[in-house]
Structures are given as C-alpha cells and as structure tokens.
Amino acid sequence: MTPPPARRRRTAANGAAPAHNLPRRGTVRRAQAISTYGVGSLIAVDHESFVVSGLDEADRSWRRDESPVVHERRLARLLDVDYFRLPPASDDTSKDGLRVRRFPLMHSCPECNDLQSHRDFSPPAGRSVCGTCEVDLVPSRFVVACEAGHLDEFPYWQWVHRSPDRDSTRIGKCGGRLRMRTTGRTSSLRSIVVSCTCGQVPEVSMEGSFRRNALKDLRLTCRGARPWLGSSAADPAGCGLPLRTLQRGSSSVWQPVLKSALSIPPWSSGRADPLAGHWPALRRYDNREHIRIYLQGAFPGGCPVPLDEVMALLDAEREEDPQDDKSPDFDHRYRALRNKEYERLRSGNDESEQSRDEQFVCETPRGDPSVLQPLGITGPMLVKKLREVRALKAFTRLVDAESTTDAKEMPLSAQPMRWLPAMEVQGEGVFLRLDESRLDAWEKAPAVAARVERMRTAHQRMLEQRADDPSQAAASPATPRMVLLHTMAHVLINEWSLEAGYPSASLRERLYAADDMAGVLVYTATSDSAGSLGGLVAQGEPESLDRAVRSAVRRAEWCSSDPLCMEAEAAGSTGTNLAACHACVMLPETSCEHNNILLDRALLVGAPDEPALGFFASLAEG
C-alpha cells in the first residue's frame, strides 16, 4: 500500500535559492515531524532556532518524490481530505527535506551585547555569527503568542521604552540600539537586563514579562503574525487578542491536534486506494449505472476497482457515515469511527480468508477463554496485523485542543488543501473486553460512583479554566468504566514491559469506553524498535493473559509511594488522578491517550478502607 518509510529526514533552512542548494540544518525522525516538530513548531538546531514552514505549494516543501502518499479513507473522510502524506525522508541524494524559516529573528551577541534582527549583525553567508565579534549569535529566548495560534517576536522596544505618557508611535525611532546583558547574580529573569543606547530610558529587566497582563498593560495586542507561512503572512482576518510571553522551548508554544484511525475492512486491503479523491463525487450517485458512467469518465483506461467492489465500498461508507444525518459534530463522527473499530475487533478478520495485502488480521485465540471468566475478562482477540494512521489535523498555542469544543486550532496552510501530514504504524496488538454484566453491577456501586465523581469534577474544573468560555467547555469523559479501562491498560503495559521484554514506550493503548463499549487494545506503537514479530500477540493467549492480569493486579496493590499514593485526595498537577503516580501506573506520554490523567488503581484493587471499590478486589484478596 505504502512504500516503507525511511527512518530519518532532514530539514532545510528557508531562502531564495533553489531547493537543492539550500543548506541542511539537521535531522529529526519522521514521527517527530508529526508529533513534536510539526508545521508551525519551533525547532532548535545547534545554536540556531527555526519554525517549520507550512504545507502550501509555494513553500516547495513536502516534495512528492520524498513524501509518499498514505491512504486511510475513514480518517480522510472525517478530516475532509483526499489522502495523507508521510513527512519527507531525505538522504544524501535527496533534493529537499522539510522547509524551515529562521525564527525568532531577534538575536543577541554575548560579546558586544547587541540585541537586534539577525540580518543586522551582517553574518557571513550560511552562518549565524556576529559580523563584528565573530561569536555565535543567541536567538531570543522569548516569544509571544495568542490563543488563536499566532506567533510573534517579543516586543523588546516597547518593553524598554514603556511609559504611560510616552507616544507609542515614536517607539523605535529614538535613534538608539537595544542591548541585552546578564548580570549573573541569579538565574532569574531579574538578571536579564535590556537597555537602549538612546539614553532616554533606564535599563529594565525581563522580570514581570510573563505576567498574564504584562503586554496588555503596554496596550499591545496580537497582530496576527504567522511566521511559518512567511515573514509577511499576517492573518488577513486580523486578531487583536491578548498576547502572552513564552519561553521559546515551552510546550505551550506548539501543541499538535492529532487524530488517528485503524485500517479495518473493507478499506484495509488497499484496493480502494486508486479511487482516492473520487469518493465525494461517487457518493452523490445512488444508481449503479450512473456510477459506472462516472468511472468510465474518470478512468478512460478502465477502473482499477471492479464495479461490484465499488458498490460494496459505497454501501459500507454510507452505513458508517449516512448522508441523511443532520450534520453531526466532529466529536460525534470521531466516536462513530471508534465504534466501527470496536465492532470489527470483536468480530475479527481471519487471516486464512484474506489476501497477503490485508492490513488487518484479528483472530480468536486457540486457548480456552473460559479461564478468564473469574477475572471478569471476555472476548480476547489476537490482532496479528494492524495499521494505524495518525494525522496532524492542526495545532494550538497556549490552549489544549481537548479543553474546549471551540478550540483555537490553527490550520497548517494559508489555503485549504486536500491532504494532511500523517504517519503510519504497522504492528500487532491484543484486544480484550470486560464482562458487561459484572461491569454494570460494579459501576453502579455508590462508592465507585462517588470516587469517580471526584475525579470528574476536578477534570471538568480544569477544562472550564482552560476554555475561553466556561459554558462551552467540553464535557469530561470520566466515567467508572473509562477510568477502570484506562488504569487496567496502564498496568498491563507495565506488566508486559517487565515480563515480555517490551519497552513501555513502544506499547500504546487505545480505549473503547462508552455505554455500549468496554474494551481496550494494547498494541505496538512503533514499527521499528519493537516491530511486529508476534511477541505481543503471544501475550493474548488466555493462559498467558490470565497470568499477566493476575500479576499486574498484584503489582498494583502496592506502590513505593504508599500510603501517600493510595490515600491521596487528589494526585497530579491538576488533581485529576487519585491513587496514581509515576511509581505505579503512569506511562510515557507516547503510550497514553489521555496524558496520564483520569487514573486510579483503587478501582482495580480496592482501597484499604473500601476493598469493594476494586473491580479485581476478589483477585487481590486471593
């Protein structure tokens, strides 16, 4: 379906020269171009700083011969694109990689202390050094951003010349030059001092620049700058939102909006890929003859997909996303995508009945699943082959995209495009479900509901605090079964990392928690380090799974931070966990869908004063 990806790619600095003459500026992994250094993010290369350019064709980035096309129709339909592209992977013979632009432009020289734009230092071509002192220039440590996703230089001129009675139109016209020095007395902002050689204002420190209203007090608002699209690419709609000062390397500067989907039948064979871009037109027809005529016009040499198969694919698509549905919101459609995955994971897809090109193979284990009944686990499935596509939909600054229904998502290009960056993971996994009757009885217990309500209240409070309008904040997903499944997935990943030799960062969870779903998929999150050699699938055999769950529950009974961990009224920086810490159930960020929140191992094993809280309490007692 897709050529095997190269492991690394290079980034190239932006300039007017042809792409193949641009200097190489470092390397990052392909996956990092989606999750860490995606479009609009800041990347440090040696002592220089850049912003990753947008997807627009004018940037001549994401060359077609270096960024293979990836198809995943269900996710493409959700995100309203035709296909996806892998980040460019470069080697010594490649013409280009990902384009980047220098940002911030304000630099300082540690020798002469000048603070000015990079080009004003007159550096030699291809180097970032002071033309006078010949020492490496230091990019500004500070940038400003707004909640709409815009990014700009820190206003050093206004910060130095601030005064209630000073004419703001005269700032920068005093004839002086800015200087920045460090007193060395402390490591705080007070030791960073900025001055102007005009002599009209005293030198000031950077202390107070991170206050929420620091720039508002200077009557400064966002002007809609989008440096990843070009130095003059201001938002045509304007902005005017308040600005916040950030450190250049802060995680709040860039947060990706990632959406993912598993390839499941009938789309997982790859046979429908040649029709990418034609599905919106095909869905307008409900007559077989009209579809045949359209395909003849679209493929003069003959359609690569038989007409009967096209009709079957259209039926499957209409079933999953009916046209008569009255414009469901994005979250509703994303949940519907998960529902279809859950149904397919339950029903399976036997390898013996599929071709070698099939990307989804899910089979019932050979062992007797009845050994899992005392655990309250049912329906284990061995996912011998799976393919996940993770797409970078947009990004946010300052605000978490999951914290509000009206997230300030910044698109990846100035003009709408029919594709998005994505990465694909091909691996294996184990799927299991909890017994519905036992789960229903457990989650109706008053003590369980009261404990989860504490977590839900704390999480909802956090969402409302982060939202622009608290009334528009997203509802917390915390429910007894969601927290239980989430915590169980974490302890299983920890167990398999100890017993089966998998690094915990190479495994990932995928939760299916709703009124009609109670399952969890643990699968390989990387296709290079751990691979898909059958080691994880072997853990899904009933006998092995029984031992793993029992061992994981026993490990969860105690934490090296007990009794503080178990008896905590709230855990985590936002208070959205209870009995959970890095010594017991927390995982690397790459493994968790929910950023290590909404966890509580007391719901697995019970608490000392309330043993019945635990879904596996009887197992823990035994």
Side-chain angles (χ1 to χ4, degrees), residues 157-178:
W157 277 104
Q158 289 85 345
W159 184 254
V160 174
H161 295 83
R162 62 184 189 269
S163 175
D165 55 354
R166 183 175 294 276
D167 184 1
S168 61
T169 61
R170 300 294 301 170
I171 294 178
K173 300 179 181 180
C174 62
R177 301 176 64 182
L178 293 180

Side-chain angles (χ1 to χ4, degrees), residues 330-372:
F330 183 87
D331 291 337
H332 177 80
R333 295 172 61 205
Y334 195 47
R335 287 193 296 269
L337 182 143
R338 288 287 181 107
N339 289 341
K340 284 297 179 182
E341 293 177 4
Y342 183 73
E343 293 175 8
R344 178 54 68 174
L345 287 166
R346 289 188 62 175
S347 59
N349 194 39
D350 198 296
E351 184 174 20
S352 61
E353 302 174 3
Q354 310 301 324
S355 67
R356 294 184 59 184
D357 293 331
E358 177 61 47
Q359 296 291 316
F360 181 83
V361 175
C362 181
E363 298 179 348
T364 304
R366 297 179 180 179
D368 182 9
S370 63
V371 301
L372 298 173

Side-chain angles (χ1 to χ4, degrees), residues 74 264-272 309 312-313 316-317 344 358:
R74 297 169 64 246
I264 60 174
W267 309 97
S268 52
S269 65
R271 291 180 55 81
E309 192 169 341
L313 289 168
E317 182 162 306
R344 178 54 68 174
E358 177 61 47

